[in-house]
Amino acid sequence: MGVSAGPFVISLDRLFLFAGVMIAFGAAALLLRGEAKTRSSPILWTAIFAGVIAARIAYVWAHAEHYRANPFEVIQVWDGGLSAIAGIATTFIVAALLAVRREVGARRVLASLLIGMSAWGALHFVAASMRDEISPGLADATLYTLDGEPTALRSFSGKPVVLNLWATWCPPCRREMPALSAAQAEHKDVHFVFANQNETAAEVRNFLIAQRLPIENAMLDRGVLAAEYGARGLPTTLFFDRDGRLQHVHMGELSAPRLADYLSSID
């Protein structure tokens, strides 16, 4: 899921993390006084940065086989591949060590982080508890096969659905397509629907042949789904559970490990 601000779209995960960081800094401003308050900011920033790095390293380590074959993806932190446990543990450890070393009231610095992380967790809990009530389902929309046959999106209900909004001219769409194609071949209990946005059947067919992508359910969409789900850019991938309720939205390129994470949560 995400929220928009003009032309910018921010995922809820990133928004909640930003809110938690800001609350941690606000708590530090209230709990610390004088010079200790001033010196706490660099400690918090350093600890949070170290936590993000550790979270990424732990995630990459857990998916070493994939990243060994795709080393450039290691630095693509924006795909959301982070280990929460490693990140939280590292953040607290670094903050404690720096606070003790610089004599800045370690207990209050750690309390500030705890307040911020608690707020972060609470936001995720509230969002998860409300998700089934406010999440849209599979749209009442008609797509078209490359042969021109109309197909109702809701005809794919009964199994989890991965709905990918893409275009042949979109570089990140092209880069992520092999991972999606491989996942479709592996997960027969999940419907993958590739809804091409505003291109012709010939353009899509030629692309799939040229790239040797044996995908099923390549469909044509005239922008109906992008409007329905508020997709501001391509690619956008939506994940529905077997009851047709939207569970996750990923904006931007998907790596194979992140795709596997999403699939494990809906299947």
Side-chain angles (χ1 to χ4, degrees):
M1 298 288 189
V3 296
S4 59
F8 301 101
V9 182
I10 306 172
S11 71
L12 284 184
D13 286 343
R14 291 176 175 82
L15 184 64
F16 292 164
L17 180 59
F18 177 77
V21 170
M22 292 300 99
I23 290 172
F25 276 89
L30 292 174
L31 294 175
L32 296 165
R33 294 288 183 271
E35 186 179 352
K37 180 192 298 187
T38 302
R39 289 191 291 164
S40 69
S41 291
I43 292 174
L44 290 175
W45 278 122
T46 302
I48 291 169
F49 181 74
V52 172
I53 296 299
R56 183 60 175 178
I57 291 173
Y59 186 85
V60 170
W61 183 268
H63 300 87
E65 183 176 351
H66 169 79
Y67 288 105
R68 192 178 298 114
N70 304 274
F72 177 72
E73 291 185 10
V74 170
I75 63 173
Q76 295 179 350
V77 182
W78 53 86
D79 73 354
L82 301 171
S83 168
I85 294 176
I88 291 172
T90 300
T91 300
F92 272 102
I93 291 171
V94 172
L97 291 174
L98 291 178
V100 170
R101 181 179 179 181
R102 301 178 186 179
E103 300 179 348
V104 183
R107 289 185 180 179
R108 296 191 178 188
V109 169
L110 294 180
S112 301
L113 281 174
L114 182 61
I115 291 170
M117 290 184 181
S118 297
W120 172 57
L123 287 170
H124 275 286
F125 177 80
V126 171
S129 64
M130 295 175 60
R131 185 168 56 199
D132 289 344
E133 299 180 11
I134 65 175
S135 291
L138 289 170
D140 184 14
T142 300
L143 307 177
Y144 293 86
T145 68
L146 301 186
D147 294 323
E149 294 295 326
T151 302
L153 179 61
R154 289 181 178 175
S155 68
F156 294 101
S157 61
K159 293 182 179 181
V161 174
V162 177
L163 176 60
N164 181 247
L165 308 184
W166 69 289
T168 65
W169 49 261
C170 162
C173 300
R174 299 165 69 99
R175 289 194 299 267
E176 73 176 5
M177 194 63 72
L180 287 163
S181 177
Q184 183 182 51
E186 181 180 352
H187 296 270
K188 296 300 184 182
D189 52 348
V190 177
H191 285 307
F192 285 75
V193 181
F194 299 89
N196 179 270
Q197 300 297 293
N198 299 306
E199 293 186 286
T200 67
E203 288 174 315
V204 175
R205 187 177 285 111
N206 290 339
F207 168 78
L208 296 178
I209 292 173
Q211 299 298 316
R212 298 181 180 179
L213 291 169
I215 67 171
E216 300 175 7
N217 301 327
M219 302 286 176
L220 303 179
D221 173 37
R222 300 307 176 199
V224 173
L225 295 180
E228 176 74 22
Y229 295 113
R232 298 296 187 91
L234 299 179
T236 294
T237 309
L238 304 98
F239 297 84
F240 299 83
D241 63 20
R242 65 183 63 254
D243 295 320
R245 294 174 299 195
L246 181 63
Q247 298 298 312
H248 307 286
V249 178
H250 186 95
M251 293 170 286
E253 184 178 346
L254 263 172
S255 66
R258 287 296 289 146
L259 177 57
D261 292 342
Y262 286 124
L263 288 172
S264 66
S265 71
I266 63 169
D267 185 12

